[in-house]
Amino acid sequence: FPVTIVGRQGNINLFTLLQGSYDTNGTWSELTSSGTLTNNLWNSAAVAFGTYQFKYRVVGNCNASDEAFVNITLKEIPQQPIAYYYIVICDTRSLNLYASTVPNATYVWSGPNGFASQQQNPTLNPLSLTDSGTYSVYTMLDGCQSSPDTVAVTTYSSLIQS
């Protein structure tokens, strides 16, 4: 049974990852080598990101047995980008938004008036009074989302009049 977990979660009770009914008198073992399995608790707090495999074995009457396998893929939470902006007053009266570089990530911006962009450093041109507000950006990496960062932008009529 494959499971994807984003970010280190500390102790994970492997029984919560089994589906259906099962006997709790079995034995858990790790097929990979994190070294952090204790009974049914796997401690993901300090392991490397990657895939880990576990086997649950129950031995019944007459040496009959049954096994279940759990594969856990532990993915890293992407780094949070740092958002900032610059308003170009003299030339284009545009708003340039910036996000710090997060290697191999894609960017997701949102803001006032339905603003949306997947560029790392988008530009709003021409700038209007209704563009004032909070702009937010987060990154996506390997299907995982970072925490967002925001920047508050205030436009003034004296800046955008021609």
Side-chain angles (χ1 to χ4, degrees):
F1 180 70
V3 175
T4 298
I5 297 174
V6 179
R8 294 184 175 98
Q9 303 294 314
N11 282 328
I12 297 172
N13 182 346
L14 296 178
F15 279 123
T16 63
L17 304 178
L18 291 177
Q19 294 182 336
S21 60
Y22 52 86
D23 185 330
T24 58
N25 294 319
T27 304
W28 283 99
S29 60
E30 183 177 358
L31 304 177
T32 47
S33 58
S34 72
T36 61
L37 178 65
T38 304
N39 299 318
N40 59 302
L41 298 177
W42 179 58
N43 188 349
S44 67
V47 300
F49 295 106
T51 300
Y52 297 88
Q53 299 174 321
F54 303 90
K55 177 174 71 172
Y56 183 61
R57 181 178 167 92
V58 177
V59 178
N61 295 333
C62 302
N63 288 328
S65 66
D66 197 9
E67 297 176 339
F69 296 89
V70 174
N71 293 329
I72 298 175
T73 299
L74 187 63
K75 292 185 175 183
E76 183 175 8
I77 298 172
Q79 176 184 349
Q80 177 186 32
I82 305 302
Y84 55 102
Y85 72 97
Y86 179 72
I87 296 178
V88 179
I89 300 170
C90 300
D91 303 23
T92 60
R93 293 178 181 88
S94 60
L95 170 64
N96 297 324
L97 296 169
Y98 299 95
S100 57
T101 299
V102 177
N104 302 314
T106 57
Y107 296 80
V108 181
W109 282 92
S110 61
N113 299 319
F115 172 78
S117 175
Q118 292 189 341
Q119 295 179 341
Q120 179 181 354
N121 303 315
T123 298
L124 278 79
N125 186 345
L127 189 61
S128 73
L129 288 174
T130 59
D131 292 322
S132 289
T134 300
Y135 291 81
S136 176
V137 62
Y138 62 87
T139 56
M140 294 291 296
L141 181 63
D142 195 22
C144 302
Q145 180 178 323
S146 73
S147 297
D149 194 25
T150 59
V151 61
V153 174
T154 303
T155 58
Y156 300 97
S157 60
S158 61
L159 296 179
I160 60 174
Q161 292 176 354
S162 14

